[in-house]
Amino acid sequence: MAAHSGTRDSAESAATGTPLVLSGANVVLPTGTVQDGQVVVEGTRITATAPENAQVIDVTGHWLVPGFVDLHNHGGGGASFTSGTPEEILKGIRTHRLHGTTTLVASTVTGDMDFLAQRAGLLSELAEQGDVAGVHFEGPFISPCRKGAHAEALLRDPDPAEVRKLLDAARGQARMVTLATELPGGIDSVRLLAEHGVIAAIGHTDATYEQTVEAIDAGATVATHLFNAMPPLGHRAPGPIAALLEDERITVELINDGTHLHPAALQLAFHRARAQRVAFITDAMDAAGFGDGRYMLGPLEVEVSEGVARLVEGGSIAGSTLTLDRAFKRAVTIDRLPVEDVVASISANPARLLGMADRIGSVEPGKDADLVLLDHRFDLKGVMRRGEWVVGPQLG
């Protein structure tokens, strides 16, 4: 079998369904990194052995890692998952796929209940088609004290009946709801979500340490963008951060864009929670992969300047313009995290939380051929989703 290094040959192979062997890479497996490894792709899946007609692509000197999984994403490519048309939403999804995110959950922002129910119906159709992995409701059940870029007039207490209304509107495609669990109805809503197999995420909260522990005991399993939109860590009043970091039942979301977190805060989270309890997210809004300018985040106007999104009124950080390939590179090159820990945080852990670890999140035979190719500088050089190149291998 002849080895090929060009984009055209590999793209043609994917188009015709010819099995592929990606050979020579540092392949990050659940058990560790294999140097000079190979990954076999046949159809939409990773397989254990290469058929005789397989095409070999030499990717020596590169890293081959599983496709990225984003639990918390509001849009990209100029499109909003909260307000865009289906065509616009697909453009946003495509933008993130070009940056290695082969699976994402579409997040909404605070709106009135009828509007959110309508959006849930639209996004659930895209989930049923396999375009997104489900719906995440961030708001309206959050604290006005820690509202961030959410419209205060539209916030409400987490009444279980209203939470149930959104779950029903999502037709089984709701994956996560962010709650300020200290508000009236918060603990009962956590229990409701747990009973329905939906992630209860603690976030945009003004809870005490003790109130956070109560919510975890009730079934909460995720911290929405830890450190952001919650009281800071205190030595006499430790607040939610300490409770969320110390409990083995909690996975903490982190936005690793250099704006939302100081590197020391990220290191603290990894030191206390370990890589197995961290999920890198983008919390991306429309401007991700698109550029600076004025945007709308729900009903609020946002100014994006030099890649940082802030509310025009008040100046609060308003999501990010992050893509997960940038989060990956920063984690390895600036934060000096082991590549295996970054892969766990950006692929395996979110896949597990979504109940999809049997299909995605790691490079193993039988799983979807969702793969990201990175060069020695950890710049993205190829993206494959379900056996098809989204970004054909750019090997120079």
Side-chain angles (χ1 to χ4, degrees):
M1 294 182 290
H4 300 275
S5 61
T7 302
R8 183 177 177 183
D9 287 335
S10 53
E12 287 177 353
S13 176
T16 58
T18 303
L20 291 177
V21 178
L22 303 173
S23 178
N26 298 313
V27 184
V28 181
L29 304 174
T31 52
T33 298
V34 175
Q35 296 182 342
D36 193 23
Q38 70 173 28
V39 175
V40 181
V41 175
E42 190 167 4
T44 63
R45 303 278 180 168
I46 299 167
T47 59
T49 57
E52 290 186 5
N53 66 330
Q55 177 197 12
V56 178
I57 304 174
D58 185 357
V59 292
T60 300
H62 290 71
W63 291 84
L64 198 58
V65 302
F68 308 147
V69 182
D70 195 352
L71 287 172
H72 186 156
N73 188 317
H74 297 279
S80 167
F81 298 154
T82 299
S83 58
T85 65
E87 293 74 24
E88 289 169 340
I89 293 169
L90 290 172
K91 179 183 177 184
I93 294 165
R94 172 75 178 178
T95 296
H96 285 282
R97 286 183 186 166
L98 292 172
H99 291 276
T101 298
T102 51
T103 302
L104 68 79
V105 175
S107 302
T108 62
V109 297
T110 294
D112 70 49
M113 291 297 294
D114 289 340
F115 174 77
L116 289 174
Q118 182 270 329
R119 295 306 296 180
L122 185 154
L123 292 170
S124 68
E125 290 182 17
L126 295 174
E128 289 159 1
Q129 294 168 194
D131 295 307
V132 298
V135 185
H136 163 217
F137 298 100
E138 187 182 23
F141 310 116
I142 61 176
S143 172
C145 303
R146 304 285 173 178
K147 64 182 183 298
H150 291 257
E152 184 168 353
L154 296 173
L155 301 182
R156 55 210 303 130
D157 291 338
D159 179 346
E162 295 201 320
V163 174
R164 181 62 187 265
K165 177 180 177 179
L166 294 185
L167 298 190
D168 290 344
R171 303 197 302 269
Q173 300 298 330
R175 294 290 173 262
M176 183 161 65
V177 179
T178 293
L179 306 159
T181 54
E182 75 278 8
L183 296 175
I187 297 301
D188 287 340
S189 292
V190 168
R191 293 194 181 103
L192 171 73
L193 293 168
E195 288 168 3
H196 284 80
V198 178
I199 297 166
I202 299 172
H204 287 275
T205 177
D206 205 40
T208 63
Y209 174 90
E210 292 77 13
Q211 288 170 327
T212 306
V213 169
E214 183 184 8
I216 297 169
D217 287 341
T221 56
V222 166
T224 293
H225 44 55
L226 187 74
F227 299 108
N228 299 117
M230 59 183 63
L233 187 64
H235 63 291
R236 281 192 291 270
I241 293 171
L244 294 164
L245 281 176
E246 73 182 10
D247 199 299
E248 295 296 322
R249 294 170 288 184
I250 292 291
T251 298
V252 298
E253 295 181 347
L254 297 177
I255 308 170
N256 193 25
D257 62 353
T259 298
H260 280 78
L261 296 176
H262 189 282
L266 181 133
Q267 293 291 347
L268 172 63
F270 268 89
H271 176 74
R272 188 64 186 89
R274 306 297 182 186
Q276 292 70 33
R277 291 203 293 119
V278 173
F280 279 135
I281 61 162
T282 61
D283 193 19
M285 46 80 72
D286 314 20
F290 200 67
D292 290 354
R294 290 280 179 113
Y295 297 85
M296 297 301 295
L297 187 61
L300 303 179
E301 191 171 15
V302 175
E303 176 77 32
V304 179
S305 177
E306 297 182 355
V308 178
R310 293 187 179 275
L311 291 183
V312 171
E313 187 175 331
S316 291
I317 294 177
S320 85
T321 62
L322 187 62
T323 52
L324 282 181
D325 59 331
R326 286 170 43 213
F328 192 112
K329 180 173 181 174
R330 180 181 178 87
V332 176
T333 63
I334 295 176
D335 302 309
R336 302 294 181 182
L337 294 172
V339 174
E340 295 82 2
D341 287 357
V342 178
V343 168
S345 301
I346 214 164
S347 299
N349 298 343
R352 170 180 49 79
L353 282 168
L354 293 173
M356 299 176 70
D358 60 328
R359 287 182 40 211
I360 62 171
S362 59
V363 180
E364 295 179 89
K367 293 197 175 182
D368 287 355
D370 291 356
L371 302 166
V372 174
L373 188 68
L374 305 164
D375 67 13
H376 68 286
R377 297 185 183 88
F378 296 96
D379 290 321
L380 185 144
K381 294 297 178 181
V383 181
M384 177 180 284
R385 183 174 187 268
R386 297 180 187 171
E388 294 188 4
W389 290 110
V390 179
V391 178
Q394 302 162 26
L395 304 176

